[in-house]
mmCIF file of all heavy atoms in Angstrom:
data_model
loop_
_atom_site.group_PDB
_atom_site.id
_atom_site.type_symbol
_atom_site.label_atom_id
_atom_site.label_comp_id
_atom_site.label_asym_id
_atom_site.label_seq_id
_atom_site.Cartn_x
_atom_site.Cartn_y
_atom_site.Cartn_z
ATOM 1 N N TYR A 25 6.200 -0.787 15.076
ATOM 2 C CA TYR A 25 6.876 0.207 14.251
ATOM 3 C C TYR A 25 8.102 0.726 14.970
ATOM 4 O O TYR A 25 8.214 0.639 16.194
ATOM 5 C CB TYR A 25 5.919 1.358 13.919
ATOM 6 C CG TYR A 25 5.511 2.157 15.131
ATOM 7 C CD1 TYR A 25 6.252 3.263 15.548
ATOM 8 C CD2 TYR A 25 4.391 1.809 15.882
ATOM 9 C CE1 TYR A 25 5.903 3.985 16.665
ATOM 10 C CE2 TYR A 25 4.038 2.513 17.013
ATOM 11 C CZ TYR A 25 4.793 3.603 17.403
ATOM 12 O OH TYR A 25 4.453 4.298 18.528
ATOM 13 N N SER A 26 8.987 1.263 14.187
ATOM 14 C CA SER A 26 10.178 1.891 14.719
ATOM 15 C C SER A 26 10.234 3.307 14.180
ATOM 16 O O SER A 26 10.364 3.506 12.966
ATOM 17 C CB SER A 26 11.430 1.111 14.292
ATOM 18 O OG SER A 26 12.603 1.804 14.655
ATOM 19 N N TYR A 27 10.084 4.267 15.099
ATOM 20 C CA TYR A 27 10.060 5.671 14.676
ATOM 21 C C TYR A 27 10.315 6.516 15.897
ATOM 22 O O TYR A 27 9.914 6.176 17.006
ATOM 23 C CB TYR A 27 8.709 5.991 14.037
ATOM 24 C CG TYR A 27 8.601 7.373 13.445
ATOM 25 C CD1 TYR A 27 9.556 7.864 12.564
ATOM 26 C CD2 TYR A 27 7.519 8.194 13.742
ATOM 27 C CE1 TYR A 27 9.457 9.131 12.013
ATOM 28 C CE2 TYR A 27 7.406 9.457 13.197
ATOM 29 C CZ TYR A 27 8.375 9.914 12.337
ATOM 30 O OH TYR A 27 8.269 11.159 11.785
ATOM 31 N N GLY A 28 10.978 7.655 15.723
ATOM 32 C CA GLY A 28 11.364 8.491 16.848
ATOM 33 C C GLY A 28 10.224 9.237 17.511
ATOM 34 O O GLY A 28 10.315 9.666 18.653
ATOM 35 N N ALA A 29 9.136 9.384 16.820
ATOM 36 C CA ALA A 29 7.991 10.110 17.371
ATOM 37 C C ALA A 29 6.741 9.285 17.110
ATOM 38 O O ALA A 29 6.806 8.228 16.505
ATOM 39 C CB ALA A 29 7.890 11.481 16.720
ATOM 40 N N THR A 30 5.626 9.756 17.581
ATOM 41 C CA THR A 30 4.376 9.053 17.302
ATOM 42 C C THR A 30 4.015 9.250 15.838
ATOM 43 O O THR A 30 3.836 10.377 15.389
ATOM 44 C CB THR A 30 3.230 9.586 18.183
ATOM 45 O OG1 THR A 30 3.588 9.403 19.547
ATOM 46 C CG2 THR A 30 1.955 8.815 17.873
ATOM 47 N N PRO A 31 3.945 8.170 15.122
ATOM 48 C CA PRO A 31 3.639 8.293 13.694
ATOM 49 C C PRO A 31 2.143 8.268 13.450
ATOM 50 O O PRO A 31 1.352 8.026 14.358
ATOM 51 C CB PRO A 31 4.293 7.045 13.107
ATOM 52 C CG PRO A 31 4.118 6.027 14.206
ATOM 53 C CD PRO A 31 4.209 6.786 15.507
ATOM 54 N N TYR A 32 1.780 8.516 12.239
ATOM 55 C CA TYR A 32 0.421 8.209 11.802
ATOM 56 C C TYR A 32 0.395 6.717 11.469
ATOM 57 O O TYR A 32 1.301 6.214 10.815
ATOM 58 C CB TYR A 32 0.062 9.017 10.560
ATOM 59 C CG TYR A 32 0.098 10.510 10.758
ATOM 60 C CD1 TYR A 32 1.001 11.306 10.050
ATOM 61 C CD2 TYR A 32 -0.771 11.141 11.634
ATOM 62 C CE1 TYR A 32 1.041 12.675 10.217
ATOM 63 C CE2 TYR A 32 -0.740 12.516 11.820
ATOM 64 C CZ TYR A 32 0.167 13.279 11.103
ATOM 65 O OH TYR A 32 0.200 14.632 11.270
ATOM 66 N N LEU A 33 -0.625 6.023 11.882
ATOM 67 C CA LEU A 33 -0.674 4.566 11.725
ATOM 68 C C LEU A 33 -1.927 4.142 10.980
ATOM 69 O O LEU A 33 -3.009 4.710 11.200
ATOM 70 C CB LEU A 33 -0.637 3.892 13.099
ATOM 71 C CG LEU A 33 0.650 4.125 13.885
ATOM 72 C CD1 LEU A 33 0.445 3.802 15.366
ATOM 73 C CD2 LEU A 33 1.778 3.277 13.310
ATOM 74 N N PHE A 34 -1.768 3.154 10.140
ATOM 75 C CA PHE A 34 -2.855 2.718 9.272
ATOM 76 C C PHE A 34 -2.884 1.197 9.186
ATOM 77 O O PHE A 34 -1.864 0.532 9.311
ATOM 78 C CB PHE A 34 -2.655 3.246 7.834
ATOM 79 C CG PHE A 34 -2.474 4.734 7.713
ATOM 80 C CD1 PHE A 34 -1.260 5.321 8.006
ATOM 81 C CD2 PHE A 34 -3.523 5.533 7.302
ATOM 82 C CE1 PHE A 34 -1.083 6.696 7.890
ATOM 83 C CE2 PHE A 34 -3.360 6.908 7.175
ATOM 84 C CZ PHE A 34 -2.137 7.492 7.468
ATOM 85 N N TRP A 35 -4.068 0.678 8.916
ATOM 86 C CA TRP A 35 -4.229 -0.699 8.476
ATOM 87 C C TRP A 35 -4.992 -0.688 7.158
ATOM 88 O O TRP A 35 -6.047 -0.059 7.040
ATOM 89 C CB TRP A 35 -4.998 -1.546 9.491
ATOM 90 C CG TRP A 35 -4.149 -2.100 10.589
ATOM 91 C CD1 TRP A 35 -3.983 -1.600 11.847
ATOM 92 C CD2 TRP A 35 -3.356 -3.292 10.542
ATOM 93 N NE1 TRP A 35 -3.133 -2.398 12.578
ATOM 94 C CE2 TRP A 35 -2.733 -3.440 11.795
ATOM 95 C CE3 TRP A 35 -3.106 -4.245 9.550
ATOM 96 C CZ2 TRP A 35 -1.884 -4.512 12.090
ATOM 97 C CZ3 TRP A 35 -2.265 -5.300 9.841
ATOM 98 C CH2 TRP A 35 -1.657 -5.434 11.104
ATOM 99 N N TYR A 36 -4.419 -1.418 6.189
ATOM 100 C CA TYR A 36 -5.052 -1.593 4.889
ATOM 101 C C TYR A 36 -5.305 -3.084 4.662
ATOM 102 O O TYR A 36 -4.569 -3.937 5.183
ATOM 103 C CB TYR A 36 -4.150 -1.072 3.759
ATOM 104 C CG TYR A 36 -4.178 0.418 3.548
ATOM 105 C CD1 TYR A 36 -3.442 1.278 4.367
ATOM 106 C CD2 TYR A 36 -4.947 0.982 2.525
ATOM 107 C CE1 TYR A 36 -3.464 2.649 4.166
ATOM 108 C CE2 TYR A 36 -4.968 2.356 2.316
ATOM 109 C CZ TYR A 36 -4.231 3.172 3.143
ATOM 110 O OH TYR A 36 -4.247 4.538 2.939
#
Side-chain angles (χ1 to χ4, degrees):
Chain A
Y25 66 90
S26 172
Y27 185 51
T30 301
Y32 299 117
L33 296 163
F34 305 78
W35 276 98
Y36 280 80

